[in-house]
Amino acid sequence: MNKVYLIGIGPGDPDYLTVQAINTMRKIDVFFLLEKEGEGCKDFLKMRKKVLERYLESGKYRIVVARIPKRKKGGNPYVEEIKVWRQETAAVIAGLIKNEMKEGENGALLVWGDPSLYDGHLEMLQHILKGGAINFEYEAIPGITSIQVLAAKHKIPLNRIGESIVITTGRKLKEYSTDEVTNVIVLLDSYSAFKRFQDTNIDIYWGSYLGTEDEILISGKLKDVIDDIKKLKSEAKKKKGWLMDTYILRRSNKKSV
Ligand SMILES: C[S@@+](CC[C@H](N)C(=O)[O-])C[C@H]1O[C@@H](n2cnc3c(N)ncnc32)[C@H](O)[C@@H]1O
């Protein structure tokens, strides 16, 4: 039976691949590189190819690049919109497994960061299998997440003694009150949703393009650094055409060790 691996490759630097990820890559016959339309797509494709070239002998594997549909924004509520987009993308992946893998081969998708964190690949493979038209085994290989890199770069733990950690999106951060912020980690924030806390006593640890040569790190009292972050975000987006940032909002706690 064919087997499909979802290999977490970390968030940018090829050094972030685990030994397990590298060993798995070495037994893959065909890598499926999905190409999104729009900002950053060429850069992401380039970074994935760089990972393959760095760890694998050329000629020992095949690459199939496939264009995935653009998400249709604005028509449906957000969750519905994502569901439709994932179903369309799953159809592309199903086509690749069916048409590009010979019997008994191993295929792989290189997943940004880790497949368990704000990533749809696991659910898409499950959706394909549920459809029943094709059958295959699958396995997820964990990768380093953007959150781990952010914490390491800022040299902070994600929580202080006995505290909880919330991981959420810019969209959902809008629902949080200042009192609910202890350690809130935010991904997928195209709104700069941290702005709503600018008059509070909250600290921010912000990072963009983590693990790449364009990495930017800023930390401090949100009210003191917010203008710098806004400026850097807008300049970086203009320069590169896309921006990926992650941050931790943290209430100051004088009692911390
Ligand atoms: C669709 S989620 C995927 C997260 C990924 N699975 C992970 O484990 O990090 C994409 C979001 O992850 C964060 N992200 C991923 N890579 C990043 C990087 N190199 N620098 C900063 N943020 C990153 C950003 O918040 C981005 O909007």
Side-chain angles (χ1 to χ4, degrees), residues 37-52:
E37 218 175 281
E39 294 168 346
C41 133
K42 291 271 171 286
D43 287 348
F44 289 121
L45 204 59
K46 230 193 279 169
M47 287 192 238
R48 284 181 168 85
K49 286 188 175 160
K50 214 162 119 185
V51 163
L52 296 179

Side-chain angles (χ1 to χ4, degrees), residues 10 22-23 56 58 62 65-66 68 96 120 128 144 183 193 221-222 225 229 242 246 248:
I22 297 164
N23 285 341
L56 303 181
S58 65
R62 312 192 297 280
V65 178
I68 54 170
L96 292 170
I128 296 168
I144 291 179
N183 303 289
K221 283 258 159 286
L222 182 58
V225 295
I229 295 177
W242 59 277
T246 306
I248 301 171

Side-chain angles (χ1 to χ4, degrees), residues 50-63:
K50 214 162 119 185
V51 163
L52 296 179
E53 281 157 21
R54 160 98 172 256
Y55 292 108
L56 303 181
E57 228 178 288
S58 65
K60 296 256 168 152
Y61 58 92
R62 312 192 297 280
I63 293 180

